[in-house]
Amino acid sequence: MLEHGGRLLRAARTYDIAPSEWLDLSTGISPFAWPVPEVPASAWHRLPEDDDGLIETARDYYDASHLLPVAGSQAAIQALPRMRAHSRVGVIAPGYAEHAHAWRAAGHEVETLAADALLSAHERFDVVALIHPNNPGGERFERATLLALHCALAPRGGWLVVDEAFLDATPHDSLCDASDREGLIVLRSVGKFFGLAGARAGFVCASPELIGRLRETLGPWTLSGPTRWALRHALADRPWQATQRERLLAAGERLRRVLTDAGLAPTAGCAFFQWRRDPRAAALHEALARRGILTRLFEQPASLRFGLPADEAGFERLASGLASALSEDAA
């Protein structure tokens, strides 16, 4: 299995620092979670039902005509490659590595390319997988560019897969409203924006035909009853969502300033994280970990991704830890 952020318990054992003492910035998950109310007992006792109102609420939130709840966008990332015959697949890099991994594991011919190179070379691919905004590279794409790419792929049976896991803070950039077109598949994650990663929930927005095939591939009950209940309420909570967007955008900008002030101006980023390419990445990751600050280390390219601190104390601790770690490196 591939390496991911969020391995707090492992870090706690490695550095002999109690989990409660860490500043965990290793994921892009919002530290500001939607406040889940008490879940009714019936959600635990009964099998999940498709007509509980979740689909309608999700269609309204995502502005998508057809969608399928899944156990996190990861479930779709793994299932979609099994739904195609052997294909030539272009995947954005650097990016969420599970995309390329899943297509390769299903026997497809995969090439990873930087965003500009991938867009210019789309003619040689049957499937193009993009992340918008990219994780960790931060690239963003014009709507017209993505729709033109889809129009080039679809007539020959191709797919454009757009992973919008980090797009909820800027929903006007989404392609969900166009996802009923054959060959356009949009993946959405609930965990990042709503801070509910433990729910393992997401949605696939696509044409009715592909949604039907994916439903058959994944089988019944893709989400638990309690998760469906919580999502139905979270997706309908428009006042909280508006506040969350403002909070995330402000925190992302604050994080950018903290890193810049430390001499680590981000290479890229978005409302959920900031990313720094740096040859010292491994040493900085280690130095920060010894101070109880967990970041996400990437080996290729050498880089660090910083998630959002939850409060003022977290930002101050990060600033102090960076100063100390960089002083140690300089010495």
Side-chain angles (χ1 to χ4, degrees):
M1 291 175 56
L2 298 179
E3 186 74 10
H4 294 281
R7 306 256 185 188
L8 179 59
L9 296 181
R10 185 176 67 181
R13 291 191 295 268
T14 300
Y15 296 94
D16 195 25
I17 301 173
S20 61
E21 299 300 314
W22 284 83
L23 176 61
D24 184 4
L25 308 179
S26 67
T27 76
I29 298 163
S30 168
F32 321 116
W34 183 73
V36 181
E38 183 177 354
V39 179
S42 59
W44 297 99
H45 296 320
R46 296 182 57 82
L47 284 172
E49 300 187 62
D50 290 339
D51 56 355
D52 58 0
L54 174 60
I55 294 294
E56 292 76 14
T57 303
R59 284 174 181 161
D60 187 49
Y61 176 79
Y62 292 113
D63 196 17
S65 301
H66 306 278
L67 48 74
L68 180 70
V70 292
S73 50
Q74 179 65 36
I77 290 169
Q78 293 182 225
L80 288 170
R82 305 200 303 269
M83 295 168 53
R84 284 190 66 98
H86 182 269
S87 300
R88 296 162 300 166
V89 183
V91 181
I92 191 171
Y96 184 55
E98 291 286 353
H99 285 282
H101 179 70
W103 286 98
R104 287 194 180 104
H108 300 278
E109 180 183 341
V110 177
E111 186 174 354
T112 57
L113 292 170
D116 290 344
L118 181 57
L119 292 176
S120 64
H122 66 82
E123 296 91 349
R124 67 173 187 257
F125 299 117
D126 305 304
V127 176
V128 172
L130 296 173
I131 307 165
H132 186 211
N134 190 20
N135 166 34
E139 293 92 345
R140 303 188 76 96
F141 305 94
E142 295 291 335
R143 178 184 178 90
T145 299
L146 295 180
L147 291 178
L149 176 56
H150 165 257
C151 286
L153 292 165
R156 48 192 173 88
W159 286 357
L160 172 60
V161 181
V162 184
D163 182 347
E164 295 184 350
F166 291 98
L167 203 65
D168 293 70
T170 54
H172 52 277
D173 294 328
S174 175
L175 288 186
C176 285
D177 64 332
S179 61
D180 57 345
R181 307 179 188 192
E182 293 292 341
L184 178 57
I185 304 165
V186 181
L187 310 181
R188 297 299 293 255
S189 169
V190 171
K192 278 74 171 179
F193 179 74
F194 290 92
L196 300 177
R200 301 307 309 133
F203 291 87
V204 179
C205 305
S207 68
E209 185 273 338
L210 189 137
I211 290 294
R213 290 175 57 200
L214 183 58
R215 181 183 289 110
E216 289 297 318
T217 299
L218 294 175
W221 308 307
T222 54
L223 293 181
S224 70
T227 293
R228 293 183 69 99
W229 184 90
L231 291 192
R232 180 161 54 87
H233 290 79
L235 293 174
D237 192 347
R238 293 309 179 92
W240 183 90
Q241 293 160 19
T243 299
Q244 179 77 332
R245 289 188 182 100
E246 294 178 359
R247 182 165 45 194
L248 285 171
L249 290 168
E253 175 60 22
R254 173 77 186 280
L255 177 59
R256 187 192 65 78
R257 292 198 305 270
V258 167
L259 293 172
T260 300
D261 290 346
L264 297 172
T267 306
C270 66
F272 295 85
F273 62 81
Q274 297 293 327
W275 180 59
R276 164 79 180 189
R277 294 181 68 154
D278 197 299
R280 303 166 295 172
L284 287 172
H285 172 80
E286 174 74 17
L288 289 169
R290 291 197 302 271
R291 292 160 172 81
I293 301 174
L294 188 59
T295 59
R296 175 72 166 92
L297 173 66
F298 295 87
E299 294 182 356
Q300 293 295 329
S303 55
L304 288 178
R305 190 188 66 195
F306 297 81
L308 301 177
D311 51 29
E312 182 64 26
F315 277 108
E316 291 178 358
R317 181 176 175 187
L318 174 60
S320 175
L322 287 170
S324 177
L326 289 166
S327 296
E328 175 184 297
D329 180 70

